[in-house]
């Protein structure tokens, strides 16, 4: 059977004919190439974090103090990276985390569609953001047969919230991922220093500007008075959610509700008690709050509290295939990658993002092979060891 790691053989074989990869296979070179290709305003928004970006940097660095212990004399000629999520079979545990400016990462302004096409090409599910340049329905169609999730920034207006969720359900998304930590924007110096906030310039607001409930709030269509439409968006964005809102969220849809931003085990337990169908461990990549603990370091306690009752999703700091395997070892069921696929989009659109995803999966597959871990279950049994204590 084919394995993700076969990509390595294909690259070496092509090299015998003088063909080298057009895009980098490692994160450092990928980032450098993307930095040279992206406009400064977009690059700063994609790369930037909160405050002095300590937490953002720690998200990635913290993977280095978790180590895998190889096991020998195990037949790993066949590996199985398959996973399941809400009853859907998936070829791997990798998914594309939601990024609110995906739409403007590609030169044509349709990065959301490009990301969806990369999802369709690789079988890696996309968690589509509310903030997009293309309507959520078109994004879902571009995903093809690959399952997709819809990330919700819950509007203050209940009718707009209900409408967005209803549209996502009708479009065929598999779950609603409710982001909890972005009812107000964190302090982001990179953007503040150049007074750049893309949404206030009318970018990535298509899901609102095509929503019937939102349009009812406007005196004129967005194309006739963009400034007023953006102002209305600002006034409706960012409902402060509490545990009392769980019943209302559940009433909006038959789809599973996943709570994104859960980092404390007590919050995970309470979320499940309140009806959450999934727990998403994330600190928003360090973009919303600085001075916190790296997300990977908070994952084990949350996974222990969940005890397999619902799926545990994870993102923040994933930069390599080994990071993906470590997150699985520490309790994640599904692992989200963000900035790396954004860089792929910037360099090569859908093909660029698909290349990044395939490289991550190839590295993860080969790591499992040489570490004597033929399945994700074996990875979880092996766990990971903290090396800085």
């Amino acid at each position: 059977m084919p394995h993700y790691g076969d990509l390595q053989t294909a690259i070496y074989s092509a090299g015998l004919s003088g063909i080298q990869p057009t895009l980098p296979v490692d994160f450092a070179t990928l980032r450098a190439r993307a930095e040279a290709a992206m406009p400064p305003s977009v690059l700063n928004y994609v790369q930037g974090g909160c405050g002095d970006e300590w937490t953002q940097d720690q998200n990635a660095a913290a993977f280095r103090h978790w180590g895998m212990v190889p096991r020998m004399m195990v037949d790993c000629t066949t590996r199985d990276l398959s996973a399941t999520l809400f009853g859907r079979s998936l070829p791997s545990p990798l998914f594309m985390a939601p990024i609110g400016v995906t739409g403007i990462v590609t030169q044509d302004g349709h990065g959301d569609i490009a990301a969806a096409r990369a999802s369709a090409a690789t079988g890696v599910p996309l968690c589509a953001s509310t903030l997009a340049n293309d309507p959520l329905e078109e994004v879902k169609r571009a995903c093809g047969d690959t399952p997709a999730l819809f990330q919700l920034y819950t509007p203050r207006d209940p009718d707009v919230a209900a409408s967005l969720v209803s549209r996502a359900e009708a479009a065929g998304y598999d779950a609603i991922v409710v982001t909890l930590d972005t009812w107000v924007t964190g302090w982001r110096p990179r953007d503040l220093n150049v007074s750049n906030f893309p949404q206030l310039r009318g970018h990535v607001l298509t899901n609102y500007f095509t929503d019937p409930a939102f349009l009812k709030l406007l005196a004129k269509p967005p194309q006739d008075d963009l400034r007023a439409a953006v102002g209305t968006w600002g006034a409706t964005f960012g409902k402060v959610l509490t545990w009392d809102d769980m019943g209302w969220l559940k009433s909006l849809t038959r789809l599973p509700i996943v709570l994104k931003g859960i980092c404390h085990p007590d919050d995970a337990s309470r979320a499940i008690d309140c009806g959450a169908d999934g727990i998403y461990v994330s600190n928003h990549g360090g973009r919303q709050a600085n001075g916190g603990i790296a997300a990977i370091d908070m994952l084990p306690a949350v996974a222990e509290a969940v005890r397999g009752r619902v799926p545990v999703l994870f993102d923040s700091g994933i930069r390599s295939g080994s990071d993906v395997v470590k997150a699985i070892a520490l309790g994640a069921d599904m692992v989200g990658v963000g900035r790396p696929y954004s860089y792929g989009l910037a360099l090569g659109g859908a093909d660029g993002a698909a290349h990044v995803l395939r490289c991550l999966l190839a590295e993860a597959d080969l790591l499992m092979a040489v570490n004597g871990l033929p399945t994700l279950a074996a990875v979880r049994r092996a766990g990971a060891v903290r090396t800085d204590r």
Side-chain angles (χ1 to χ4, degrees), residues 91-342:
S92 84
L94 188 66
F95 72 95
M96 301 166 75
I99 300 175
V101 288
T102 297
I104 61 175
V105 167
T106 57
Q107 293 183 3
D108 65 359
H110 293 286
D112 303 292
I113 295 296
R117 289 174 177 163
S119 172
T122 60
V124 175
L126 170 68
C127 187
S129 176
T130 303
L131 297 172
N133 265 1
D134 295 289
L136 62 91
E137 293 86 356
E138 294 182 17
V139 173
K140 179 61 182 71
R141 282 194 291 272
C143 290
D145 295 330
T146 302
L149 315 176
F150 180 72
Q151 175 268 338
L152 178 70
Y153 286 122
T154 309
R156 298 175 194 173
D157 187 290
D159 292 335
V160 177
S163 181
L164 288 170
V165 171
S166 177
R167 288 171 59 194
E169 183 171 347
Y173 288 89
D174 282 54
I176 304 297
V177 176
V178 180
T179 294
L180 304 175
D181 62 0
T182 314
W183 59 272
V184 66
T185 303
W187 183 257
R188 301 175 187 171
R190 290 204 206 192
D191 299 326
L192 290 164
N193 284 335
V194 293
S195 301
N196 178 55
F197 194 73
Q199 292 88 326
L200 296 182
R201 301 171 187 266
H203 298 301
V204 299
L205 299 182
T206 297
N207 280 325
Y208 300 91
F209 292 174
T210 58
D211 190 85
F214 181 84
L215 293 176
K216 287 181 180 179
L217 303 177
L218 305 179
K220 296 179 181 180
Q223 62 269 25
D224 294 338
D225 193 343
L226 179 61
R227 189 168 188 173
V230 170
T232 301
W233 169 80
T236 59
F237 182 84
K239 177 179 172 59
V240 178
L241 294 169
T242 71
W243 298 114
D244 292 337
D245 291 307
M246 277 299 295
W248 169 67
L249 288 170
K250 295 282 287 184
S251 75
L252 298 179
T253 181
R254 293 170 294 177
L255 294 177
I257 296 290
V258 179
L259 296 184
K260 180 177 183 288
I262 299 292
C263 293
H264 194 288
D266 291 350
D267 286 347
S269 296
R270 186 166 185 179
I272 296 171
D273 291 342
C274 289
D277 302 290
I279 300 298
Y280 193 147
V281 179
S282 170
N283 61 16
H284 215 108
R287 288 177 58 77
Q288 277 297 91
N290 198 33
I293 301 170
I296 191 65
D297 291 342
M298 296 184 283
L299 173 61
V302 173
E304 183 177 358
V306 171
R307 300 194 307 276
R309 290 175 288 171
V310 300
V312 174
L313 290 72
F314 172 85
D315 76 19
S316 299
I318 296 293
R319 301 291 183 265
S320 66
S322 65
D323 292 345
V324 174
V325 176
K326 288 178 184 180
I328 295 294
L330 292 171
D333 295 296
M334 298 291 298
V335 181
V337 59
R339 287 181 179 90
Y341 86 75
S342 283

Side-chain angles (χ1 to χ4, degrees), residues 8-19:
Q8 175 174 259
T9 303
I11 291 174
Y12 285 142
S13 296
L16 297 176
S17 300
I19 300 172

